[in-house]
Amino acid sequence: MAFAVKEINSNTDLLPNVTLGYSLYDNCVELSIGFRAALSLAAGQKKHFVLNDSCVGAPPVLGIVGDSSSTRSIAISNVLGLYRVPLFVHYLQNVNFTTSFGDEVSFDKDGDAIPLYDVMNWLWLPSGNIQVQNVGVVKKSAQRGEQLHLNEDAIFWNFEPMRPPMSVCSKKCPLGTRRVRRKGEPECCFDCITCSEGEISNTTDSTECIPCPEDFWSTPDRYQCVPMKTEFLSYHEPLGICLSTVAVLGTFICAIVLLVFVHNRKTPIVRANNSELSFQVLLSLKLCFLCSLLFIGRPRLWTCQLRHAAFGISFVLCVSCILVKTMVVLAVFKASKPGGGSILKWFGALQQRGTVFTLTLIQAVICVTWLVTASPAPYKNTDYHNDKIVYECVIGSSVGFAVLLGYIGLLALLSFMLAFLARNLPDNFNEAKLITFSMLMFCAVWVAFVPAYVNSPGKYADAVEVFAILASSFGLLVALFGPKCYIILFRPERNTKKAVMGRV
C-alpha cells in the first residue's frame, strides 16, 4: 500500500490535485498477539489468546487521504472496512501499472488492491519448531486472472502411485541402499544406509537388503550379485606352471638315470650298489615326482583322496629301499670279518624284497584306514576372502595325516642312523656316506615343511607341500645317483672292480 500511494502521488495523471497519505495499525494496536495466534493455529497447537479490553468501539484508522485543493481529509477503513468513500474508490479504479519487480498494481470496483499470495509450506518438526519454506506465489491481475508460479527447486514431486505417505523430509533411497528410520522423527524422515558386503538392493526406497545366493557376491555398488572369484593352485598360473614343470623334469631325469643304470648294469659300480634296489629307488622317485601333480589343479574328491595316499606310499617305498640298502651294506662288512658269514643269509634278494614290501604295506594300511574313517575332501573356503572362493582339500583327519608323515620320518631317521654308523667303512666308493647325506637333506626338508604348511593359507599350503615333495625327491636323486652317473658317463676308468674295492 505504501508503494501504491507513492506511485500515485508521483503521477499527476492518476489523481490530479489529490495527495494521498496513510496511517496503518493492527487491530488492537498490538501486532504480536495476532501474529502469534496465526502461527499457533498453523502449527496445530491449541492455545487461547485473549485480546486487550481496549479492542472496542469504532474500527481504527487504516488510511488518511488528503485533498490538496480543499485541504480536506477523509478516513478510510480498508481491512475492517465498514464503509467506502465514493470519490477515492472512483480514483483507485483508474490505477493500473507494473512495478520494477514485475508485479501489477490495480484496484477492483470496491477499491481493494488485487492481492499477491505467497504459497508457503509449513512443516511442524518433532522438536516443536516450525519450518516454513516458500514454494511458490499466486499472482492475480485484471487481464490474466490468477496465475500460480512455483519454485521448482523447493518442491519434491512424486509421480508414482501413493503406497506409506509421500516423503516430505527425506528423498528416495537409491539402488544399493536401504531405508533406516530416524529415531524420534516422523516416518517420512529416514537415512539411506549402504547394504553390507554380500547383500544387494535392486529397487529404490528398499526397506531391506537381499543376501546374494551361494557362490555369488555383491558388486561394490551393492545393486547386483556376481559370481565369486575362485582360487586354487592352477596349471595356468605362474606358480603352478613352475611346479608342474619341475615335477615333469624330475620324472624325465629319473627315466634317463634308469636307462643309464640298465645299460650299464653289468659294470662294477652298478653291481656293487645293489642294482635291484637301485632300480626300485629310481622307480619310486618317479612316482614321487608324478604324485606332486595331484596337488595342482582344482581339487576334486578323487584327487584329494589320492594325492596323500600316493605321496605317502611312494615315499615309503623309496625310503624303505634306501633303508634295506643301508642294512645290506652293514651286513656285507660284518660278513667280511671272522665268524660273520652267517649274517648274509638274512639279507638275500628274497629277504630284501620282502622287507621293502612289508614296510610299504604298513603305509598302505595307514592310508586305507585314513580314507575309510575320515577321508580328505574338497572344500570351498570363504574365510580368507569374502568375495573369493578358495578351493582346497581338507585332510579329514589330522591324526591320519600325522601318522602318515610320522611313519615316513621314522624310516628316514632309521636309515640316517644306520648310514651314519657305516660312514667310515673302508671303501673307495662308500655308499653309506651318500645315504647319510641324502637322509640328512630329506629330514631337513620335511622338518621345515610342517610349520610352513600350517601357516600357509589356501593354495599356498598346496604349493608348500609340492615344493617339499620336489625338493626331497631331487635331494635323494642327486645325492644317491649323481656321483655314480658322473663316474659311469665321464670317468669310466674308475668303473672297475679294483677302483670300487679301493685297491687303486
Side-chain angles (χ1 to χ4, degrees), residues 308-309 311-317 358-368 403-408 411:
H308 288 104
F311 152 71
I313 294 174
S314 299
F315 269 96
V316 165
L317 177 60
T358 303
L359 294 176
T360 306
L361 182 62
I362 295 175
Q363 182 73 309
V365 172
I366 294 174
C367 293
V368 171
V403 172
L404 181 142
L405 289 179
Y407 184 66
I408 298 176
L411 295 181

Side-chain angles (χ1 to χ4, degrees), residues 15-214:
L15 295 177
N17 301 323
V18 175
T19 301
L20 299 180
Y22 57 87
S23 177
L24 300 178
Y25 302 91
D26 180 55
N27 58 330
C28 303
V29 201
E30 187 172 352
L31 178 63
S32 60
I33 294 179
F35 188 67
R36 284 190 291 112
L39 287 180
S40 176
L41 179 63
Q45 300 176 353
K46 298 180 180 179
K47 293 185 178 181
H48 297 280
F49 291 86
V50 181
L51 300 177
N52 294 338
D53 294 337
S54 59
C55 189
V56 293
V61 177
L62 292 185
I64 301 297
V65 180
D67 188 346
S68 60
S69 61
S70 58
T71 66
R72 295 177 298 161
S73 64
I74 305 174
I76 304 251
S77 174
N78 196 17
V79 177
L80 301 178
L82 300 178
Y83 59 89
R84 299 286 186 274
V85 179
L87 176 60
F88 184 60
V89 172
H90 170 72
Y91 285 129
L92 288 179
Q93 290 179 351
N94 297 325
V95 176
N96 190 345
F97 62 93
T98 303
T99 68
S100 58
F101 298 101
D103 298 327
E104 296 183 2
V105 178
S106 60
F107 299 88
D108 60 14
K109 59 183 180 60
D110 296 324
D112 293 326
I114 303 300
L116 185 69
Y117 303 101
D118 286 332
V119 181
M120 312 297 292
N121 178 35
W122 293 53
L123 181 62
W124 186 21
L125 302 178
S127 61
N129 298 326
I130 298 175
Q131 180 180 340
V132 182
Q133 188 175 17
N134 189 336
V135 297
V137 64
V138 176
K139 295 182 179 180
K140 185 175 181 180
S141 64
Q143 290 79 13
R144 294 189 295 270
E146 293 184 354
Q147 288 184 324
L148 174 62
H149 300 273
L150 295 178
N151 180 12
E152 299 286 348
D153 296 334
I155 302 176
F156 174 65
W157 298 98
N158 181 21
F159 297 101
E160 296 183 0
M162 296 295 290
R163 296 189 293 268
M166 183 179 67
S167 168
V168 294
C169 179
S170 301
K171 292 185 178 181
K172 288 185 176 181
C173 290
L175 300 179
T177 63
R178 61 183 177 89
R179 295 195 311 177
V180 176
R181 182 178 171 183
R182 297 175 186 169
K183 187 176 181 180
E185 297 188 22
E187 292 185 3
C188 61
C189 297
F190 49 82
D191 294 319
C192 298
I193 305 299
T194 303
C195 293
S196 303
E197 291 185 345
E199 297 182 343
I200 63 166
S201 168
N202 53 11
T203 59
T204 57
D205 252 359
S206 178
T207 57
E208 61 181 6
C209 296
I210 306 171
C212 288
E214 187 180 6

